[in-house]
Amino acid sequence: MIRPPPGVVRTGPSAREDGRVLVCCGLVTLDVVQVVDALPGPDEKVVARSLAATFGGPAANAAATAVGLGAPTTLVTAVGHGPLAEVVRSELEAAGVALVDAAADAAGRAQPAVSTVLVTRATGERAVVSTNASGFGDLTDASLVVPESTTGLLDALRPGDVLLLDGHHPGLALRVARRARERGCVVVLDGGSWKPDAPAMIGLCDAVVVSADFRPPGVAADDVLDAVAALGPRLVARTRGPLPVEVLDAGERYEVAVPQPGRVVDTLGAGDVVHGAFAAAVARGSSWRLALEDAVRVASRSVEHAGARGWIAAAP
């Protein structure tokens, strides 16, 4: 495994170790994570076992995963302004993730989304309250002007480069995805939950990996893969926690077994790790199937450590 030294910030598509790069576009949050013995009940106060504050969000965690696996990665997102934004920027830099902030020049003083995460010590299960991207409503506007920094990044993309979307900041994501398709890139979607812009976003994708909670309106659970595939992607896969990943690959159905972790310490961000590892493998030239096998192996290892990225520091 090749990892950049702590504090190194990639410059994006100019860093081409194997001729391909990865761009992640979507949400970054400031995560405040506390480990507790049990979740509090109504009007109950509990004392946390530990506290950590760092970045999170599907696209950001996926980007850090890819960097941890040796893939040059740039995150296109909205960070904004203020002290919380500075914490996010500093943590991304320490993780080796290059940043393009689409909100850096935006009007207003929007701050990063904040997620409060409670992790149950005995099981590793999590409870999350998040503002998501609600502070950046301008990034969902159809009249969005893509910042020059984002435009320059997209113009440097080449065929074979990979774009991973997480469904957040849809106005920005759709513009980035259309440009990436024009440049011949592979476009992948992390489908965590159904969103209003999902059909348009899926239609721009080559591969879509959804969670067990992802459900198009009026579609039964058993029909999700077919419904998503009908919108255009060649590969549709559905993760189901420890159960095998269900796959519809250019009409072929199969499953990818999920390795059982030695122990479960923390499930926070395991789905993000799947998507980041999958996209990194695709950027290395792996087939869909091999990329999924790599992704579930990395994700199973990740839940043996605290946080979405604890496994990176523990890797040999």
Side-chain angles (χ1 to χ4, degrees):
M1 178 186 301
I2 301 172
R3 294 203 303 270
V8 171
V9 178
R10 306 274 192 183
T11 57
S14 61
R16 293 184 175 273
E17 296 174 357
D18 64 355
R20 293 175 177 172
V21 297
L22 171 61
V23 175
C24 297
C25 179
L27 182 66
V28 67
T29 64
L30 176 65
D31 282 3
V32 180
V33 183
Q34 299 185 76
V35 177
V36 296
D37 290 327
L39 297 179
D43 296 322
E44 181 184 7
K45 178 181 178 180
V46 298
V47 177
R49 293 277 185 169
S50 65
L51 168 69
T54 185
F55 72 86
N61 280 334
T65 295
V67 170
L69 295 170
T73 306
T74 298
L75 174 64
V76 179
T77 186
V79 177
H81 310 275
L84 299 184
E86 292 310 309
V87 173
V88 170
R89 292 177 193 279
S90 176
E91 291 287 299
L92 286 170
E93 180 178 350
V97 177
L99 173 65
V100 172
D101 183 5
D105 300 323
R109 304 297 294 176
Q111 298 190 62
V114 176
S115 290
T116 303
V117 184
L118 297 180
V119 179
T120 303
R121 185 186 184 194
T123 64
E125 295 175 323
R126 59 196 169 95
V128 182
V129 178
S130 179
T131 61
N132 280 344
S134 58
F136 297 99
D138 55 321
L139 291 182
T140 66
D141 192 278
S143 62
L144 169 71
V145 177
V146 175
E148 184 176 345
S149 56
T150 307
T151 303
L153 171 77
L154 299 178
D155 287 344
L157 292 173
R158 303 175 187 170
D161 289 341
V162 178
L163 169 66
L164 172 65
L165 309 170
D166 69 3
H168 294 276
H169 299 310
L172 175 66
L174 286 168
R175 294 212 177 184
V176 170
R178 292 185 185 110
R179 186 59 175 149
R181 289 304 298 263
E182 292 172 359
R183 304 291 295 180
C185 298
V186 178
V187 182
V188 179
L189 174 65
D190 162 5
S193 62
W194 182 265
K195 298 177 178 64
D197 296 275
M201 210 166 292
I202 292 170
L204 293 168
C205 291
D206 300 285
V208 175
V209 182
V210 303
S211 72
D213 296 328
F214 187 93
R215 191 78 56 82
V219 175
D222 291 342
D223 298 326
V224 168
L225 297 185
D226 294 281
V228 175
L231 295 173
R234 299 196 301 271
L235 173 95
V236 183
R238 181 168 65 166
T239 60
R240 300 178 297 160
L243 299 177
V245 179
E246 297 177 331
V247 185
L248 180 58
D249 184 350
E252 177 188 359
R253 296 182 189 275
Y254 57 86
E255 292 185 341
V256 173
V258 176
Q260 183 175 354
R263 58 173 184 160
V264 177
V265 172
D266 187 354
T267 60
L268 177 65
D272 305 339
V273 172
V274 167
H275 296 101
F278 175 76
V282 172
R284 291 194 301 268
S286 293
S287 67
W288 300 132
R289 187 166 195 156
L290 289 177
L292 285 169
E293 290 174 353
D294 283 347
V296 296
R297 277 197 295 269
V298 176
S300 291
R301 188 164 79 246
S302 76
V303 301
E304 298 177 348
H305 303 275
R309 302 181 299 280
W311 62 276
I312 299 176

